[in-house]
Amino acid sequence: MLRQLTASMAYTTKPTENACNMTRRAHARIDDVARLAGVSIATVSRAMTKPSQVREETLATVREAVRKLGYVAHGHARALASRKSRTIGAIVPTIQNSIFAETIFALQKTVRAEGYVLVVACNEYDLGGEIGLVQELIECGVDGLVLTQSLHRAEAISLLERFRVPYVLTWAYDSEGHLPAVGFDHWRASSLVTRHLLELGHRDFAIIATTTEGNRNAQDRLRGVIETLQGSEIELPGSRIVQSSFSFAEGRKAFRQIIDLGHRPTAIICLNDTLAIGAMAQAMDMGFKVPRDISVAGCEDLEVAASVVPTLTTVRYPSWEMGEVAGRYLLALIGGRSPPETRMFQTELVVRASTAAPSKRMRTKRKFV
Amino acid sequence: MLRQLTASMAYTTKPTENACNMTRRAHARIDDVARLAGVSIATVSRAMTKPSQVREETLATVREAVRKLGYVAHGHARALASRKSRTIGAIVPTIQNSIFAETIFALQKTVRAEGYVLVVACNEYDLGGEIGLVQELIECGVDGLVLTQSLHRAEAISLLERFRVPYVLTWAYDSEGHLPAVGFDHWRASSLVTRHLLELGHRDFAIIATTTEGNRNAQDRLRGVIETLQGSEIELPGSRIVQSSFSFAEGRKAFRQIIDLGHRPTAIICLNDTLAIGAMAQAMDMGFKVPRDISVAGCEDLEVAASVVPTLTTVRYPSWEMGEVAGRYLLALIGGRSPPETRMFQTELVVRASTAAPSKRMRTKRKFV
DNA sequence: TTGTAAGCGTTATCAC
DNA sequence: GTGATAACGCTTACAA
């Protein structure tokens, strides 16, 4: 509730009556400022939003009145009249995953620099109904919307277009390149990791994969590994690919599962860092020396994980930059300027101490696939 | 921008003209729904917000019209007329720190369940001007505001009270108990850790502390350790307390610094988990076995860190619960219900593998302070 | 450069 | 239960 009125301020009271005793109201309105400054409300409005159109002297008077009364504009009234709210919405699966937190943080900073505030909603991987969220944010009157890993892209977009709300997709894949989307090349990310291990001389792999069902990004990552291996004429038996869900413990379990197969690969590629860290921990618990006995690599930079386990070879995803670009894109669209090109961000391999060439000991002990 | 009008819709056109051809407009308004349903706009409004006051049959007609037109209410107009916006604001230092992310996530979930959306703003530890942010959110017309570790509490509160915006402080300390605040007992948290080590038989400590300047929480944590030690007649020489900033690398550096003193404590208490993990990593790099040679404990549960380094003895801060309570508190205040009691959350010691009784080897090798 | 006044799309009061 | 209509607090086209 933005303002609390005294009883006498109810609908029956005439506006002119209020005008006389602003002391009875909770806070100042534009007409209070106008009266104190001795100008019209239009001038006050202009002084607030287009100061260049107001004479220097008048401006000073108005500003003084604003200061004296502690006037703060009523955003909803302003939005209703001007048809712009200076708010931007963002929908993310969760804010608890540091990769999304980073994007949101960057986005928030970017739009705030232009006077926009950010409305954040989490769809919790659709448990709450993504389309409902989009509609809610439209109802809130956001000037633009950022969608992250949208699960119902087509519906969300048609809704946004019907309401003429500018939008941009993040963490998204757009094969045709027609949609405003910024994302990562997940295929390339996991391919980078794989090539790195191939170049070190590894020929004997296992993959700890995430579930790929309905997740294009995860599919791309898995394909990136498999196709790169195929490029080197290496076929991976299906049993060497373990599917896991997202957790440290799952990474441990998957590692055990691989070792239980009775065949030790020289390198393990994990399709995300949480799994990789779990696998590494399990390897060490089981007496493996990393990377002497086995190399472990991840495919997705978890900022926090990287600071905690700074030895993991992985791929850096510039999620901060993505947030910035998404913000700038929307701001341009809203401001009627031509937006920057949307694009596929390139990821970058970060080689750390968890990978090395297979040791002689490994080579002699193992038969290749 | 919520709606785009065609040229003919400019101010010169009379409302009654618009009414006839809604096809030329971007989307439906309440009067379009009313016309299609054959009722007045007042009825439509009631059907949307107080369905119980509308006859079942009328309700169905209106709902059908809403569906047909894809009508979505204009939040700003609604907010202006009703004086409530169904948005709640939250100011946090950053969303990148997982403890705040967790609180925000819980808050978001709690308020969304009641139909509110969350506007998030980060003050980046005041680099952006906290009071400005508060004013911005008031201008946005939030129905309530959550402040986190507010650095300018007095000013923020006076502003909020002037505008009659309900608020609640989180991660906050309120010695008098007059303010609506939910926080943690940091003194107790670090005291718990200290007592645990004392009970294991440790007498020889070092502390890796955070900067305490202007940070009441950090001060409390440090006092918790020192005063608990004093309770056992243990005085810590100042050189055994190393001040660090917040990072993994700083934890490493601080550990080296302590060892460089030439005296090895049997236990190290770190005032946050990031420092603790850094210290542990450094210890292991330097050939220490944890906890055989040295015990390491933290004072602040970092969710991600805990999942990555699941061996760290630390204190769990229920930040999720705090977000929930903060949300419920505001919702109660807004709804005119009596709010739940604000309180100091109790933290809870989580003993893991990084602490143990000092070994005989340690005991014989060391002289006590 | 400034003032006048007509919107912006709802809700809430009051009469029926 | 429902309808007519006056707010809600601001922006902006147009006139001065």
Side-chain angles (χ1 to χ4, degrees):
Chain A
M1 181 172 331
L2 195 57
R3 174 184 293 187
Q4 197 87 21
L5 294 181
T6 56
S8 70
M9 278 292 297
Y11 279 97
T12 47
T13 318
K14 276 181 286 176
T16 44
E17 285 183 4
N18 310 333
C20 315
N21 60 344
M22 133 128 244
T23 51
R24 303 184 63 171
R25 269 185 280 114
H27 60 264
R29 289 183 318 219
I30 198 169
D31 53 306
D32 297 314
V33 178
R35 207 167 318 109
L36 184 60
V39 297
S40 74
I41 59 170
T43 301
V44 176
S45 173
R46 264 173 247 140
M48 303 288 291
T49 52
K50 299 156 189 147
S52 63
Q53 292 184 21
V54 176
R55 190 157 47 97
E56 196 62 50
E57 205 180 324
T58 319
L59 198 57
T61 322
V62 172
R63 289 203 167 137
E64 175 59 14
V66 166
R67 202 193 53 68
K68 258 191 190 140
L69 296 172
Y71 170 69
V72 173
H74 188 301
H76 297 299
R78 177 175 277 185
L80 180 57
S82 69
R83 294 148 178 286
K84 46 196 57 149
S85 67
R86 301 202 80 78
T87 62
I88 282 180
I91 298 180
V92 285
T94 171
I95 216 170
Q96 295 227 68
N97 188 326
S98 66
I99 55 175
F100 298 130
E102 189 171 348
T103 306
I104 288 293
F105 192 62
L107 177 66
Q108 199 258 175
K109 210 173 163 180
T110 305
V111 301
R112 241 187 72 68
E114 304 252 334
Y116 284 77
V117 300
L118 193 69
V119 180
V120 178
C122 304
N123 63 11
E124 298 178 58
Y125 296 98
D126 207 25
L127 296 181
E130 188 182 2
I131 297 303
L133 268 184
V134 173
Q135 178 160 336
E136 236 171 85
L137 290 182
I138 290 175
E139 189 164 335
C140 272
V142 295
D143 290 342
L145 190 60
V146 177
L147 289 169
T148 304
Q149 273 193 353
S150 178
L151 294 163
H152 308 280
R153 198 146 85 180
E155 290 149 273
I157 287 177
S158 84
L159 199 56
L160 288 167
E161 298 202 322
R162 189 152 68 77
F163 284 89
R164 310 240 204 288
V165 176
Y167 62 88
V168 56
L169 309 171
T170 62
W171 287 91
Y173 180 89
D174 177 29
S175 47
E176 287 81 31
H178 296 325
L179 298 173
V182 289
F184 297 121
D185 190 337
H186 297 275
W187 190 96
R188 183 166 170 280
S190 60
S191 176
L192 277 177
V193 167
T194 309
R195 283 212 305 267
H196 162 70
L197 290 164
L198 284 170
E199 280 161 16
L200 286 173
H202 291 273
R203 291 294 176 275
D204 193 354
F205 296 87
I207 304 180
I208 300 181
T210 50
T211 42
T212 51
E213 200 180 297
N215 186 337
R216 176 80 204 212
N217 297 344
Q219 288 162 16
D220 285 348
R221 276 189 205 167
L222 185 54
R223 278 200 310 107
V225 177
I226 292 175
E227 292 174 13
T228 304
L229 288 179
Q230 282 171 346
S232 292
E233 319 259 295
I234 297 176
E235 281 294 338
L236 214 57
S239 64
R240 218 63 70 67
I241 303 176
V242 181
Q243 293 255 140
S244 301
S245 56
F246 184 94
S247 87
F248 180 76
E250 281 286 315
R252 282 183 171 270
K253 203 173 96 189
F255 185 86
R256 282 194 303 270
Q257 230 169 299
I258 287 168
I259 297 305
D260 286 350
L261 289 176
H263 174 91
R264 285 194 189 176
T266 66
I268 294 192
I269 299 172
C270 306
L271 296 194
N272 72 241
D273 281 7
T274 304
L275 292 172
I277 291 164
M280 263 176 81
Q282 184 63 30
M284 294 193 277
D285 278 7
M286 291 172 78
F288 285 76
K289 285 279 179 197
V290 175
R292 194 195 64 189
D293 301 332
I294 198 161
S295 287
V296 178
C299 286
E300 168 189 60
D301 193 48
L302 253 186
E303 287 292 315
V304 177
S307 72
V308 163
V309 181
T311 58
L312 184 69
T313 292
T314 185
V315 169
R316 199 184 94 79
Y317 275 64
S319 35
W320 176 278
E321 287 86 333
M322 204 171 64
E324 275 189 345
V325 168
R328 281 207 299 272
Y329 189 89
L330 274 188
L331 293 173
L333 241 45
I334 292 167
R337 305 189 299 272
S338 84
E341 248 183 278
T342 55
R343 57 195 168 112
M344 199 70 131
F345 275 94
Q346 289 310 322
T347 52
E348 158 200 358
L349 185 66
V350 184
V351 178
R352 301 202 193 90
S354 73
T355 55
S359 62
K360 281 202 187 112
R361 188 161 144 268
M362 288 162 71
R363 285 214 186 93
T364 52
K365 276 178 66 183
R366 278 165 189 67
K367 60 173 200 286
F368 292 157
V369 182
Chain B
M1 184 172 327
L2 195 56
R3 174 184 293 185
Q4 197 85 22
L5 295 180
T6 55
S8 70
M9 279 291 299
Y11 278 98
T12 46
T13 318
K14 276 183 285 176
T16 44
E17 286 184 1
N18 310 333
C20 314
N21 59 344
M22 124 129 249
T23 50
R24 303 185 62 171
R25 270 187 277 113
H27 62 266
R29 288 183 317 218
I30 199 171
D31 54 305
D32 297 315
V33 178
R35 207 169 316 109
L36 184 59
V39 297
S40 73
I41 58 170
T43 301
V44 176
S45 174
R46 275 184 296 251
M48 304 287 292
T49 52
K50 301 156 188 150
S52 64
Q53 293 183 20
V54 176
R55 191 157 47 97
E56 195 63 49
E57 206 181 322
T58 320
L59 198 56
T61 322
V62 171
R63 289 202 168 137
E64 176 58 15
V66 166
R67 202 193 52 68
K68 257 192 194 141
L69 296 171
Y71 170 69
V72 173
H74 188 300
H76 296 298
R78 178 176 274 184
L80 178 59
S82 69
R83 295 150 175 285
K84 45 197 57 148
S85 68
R86 300 201 81 78
T87 61
I88 282 180
I91 298 180
V92 285
T94 171
I95 216 171
Q96 295 227 68
N97 188 327
S98 66
I99 55 176
F100 297 131
E102 190 171 350
T103 307
I104 287 293
F105 193 61
L107 177 66
Q108 199 260 172
K109 211 173 164 180
T110 306
V111 301
R112 242 187 72 69
E114 304 252 334
Y116 286 76
V117 299
L118 193 69
V119 181
V120 177
C122 304
N123 62 13
E124 298 177 57
Y125 296 98
D126 207 24
L127 296 181
E130 188 182 3
I131 297 304
L133 268 183
V134 174
Q135 176 159 338
E136 234 171 86
L137 291 182
I138 289 176
E139 190 164 334
C140 272
V142 294
D143 289 342
L145 190 60
V146 176
L147 288 170
T148 305
Q149 274 193 353
S150 177
L151 295 162
H152 309 280
R153 197 145 86 178
E155 291 149 272
I157 288 177
S158 84
L159 199 56
L160 288 167
E161 299 204 320
R162 189 151 69 79
F163 283 90
R164 309 240 204 290
V165 176
Y167 60 88
V168 57
L169 308 171
T170 62
W171 288 92
Y173 180 89
D174 177 29
S175 47
E176 289 81 30
H178 295 325
L179 298 173
V182 289
F184 297 121
D185 190 338
H186 297 275
W187 190 97
R188 184 167 171 278
S190 61
S191 177
L192 277 177
V193 167
T194 309
R195 284 212 304 269
H196 162 69
L197 290 164
L198 284 169
E199 280 160 16
L200 286 173
H202 292 273
R203 291 295 175 272
D204 193 355
F205 296 87
I207 304 179
I208 298 181
T210 51
T211 42
T212 51
E213 201 181 296
N215 186 338
R216 177 80 205 212
N217 297 344
Q219 286 162 17
D220 285 348
R221 276 189 204 165
L222 184 54
R223 278 200 311 105
V225 177
I226 292 175
E227 291 173 15
T228 304
L229 289 179
Q230 281 170 347
S232 293
E233 320 257 297
I234 296 176
E235 281 295 338
L236 213 57
S239 64
R240 219 61 71 69
I241 303 175
V242 181
Q243 294 255 141
S244 300
S245 56
F246 184 93
S247 86
F248 180 75
E250 281 286 314
R252 283 183 170 269
K253 203 173 97 187
F255 185 86
R256 282 196 303 267
Q257 228 169 301
I258 287 167
I259 297 306
D260 286 349
L261 290 175
H263 175 92
R264 285 192 190 179
T266 66
I268 294 192
I269 299 173
C270 306
L271 296 193
N272 73 242
D273 282 8
T274 304
L275 291 174
I277 290 164
M280 264 176 82
Q282 184 64 33
M284 294 192 278
D285 278 6
M286 291 171 77
F288 286 76
K289 285 277 176 195
V290 176
R292 193 195 66 189
D293 302 331
I294 199 160
S295 287
V296 178
C299 287
E300 167 190 60
D301 194 47
L302 254 186
E303 286 292 316
V304 177
S307 72
V308 163
V309 181
T311 59
L312 184 70
T313 292
T314 185
V315 169
R316 200 184 92 79
Y317 276 64
S319 35
W320 176 279
E321 288 86 333
M322 203 172 64
E324 275 189 345
V325 168
R328 281 206 299 272
Y329 188 90
L330 274 189
L331 292 173
L333 240 45
I334 293 168
R337 306 189 299 271
S338 83
E341 248 183 279
T342 56
R343 58 197 167 110
M344 199 70 132
F345 276 93
Q346 289 310 322
T347 51
E348 160 200 355
L349 185 66
V350 183
V351 178
R352 301 203 192 90
S354 73
T355 56
S359 61
K360 280 202 188 111
R361 187 160 145 268
M362 287 163 72
R363 285 215 185 92
T364 53
K365 275 180 67 183
R366 278 167 188 67
K367 58 173 200 285
F368 292 156
V369 183

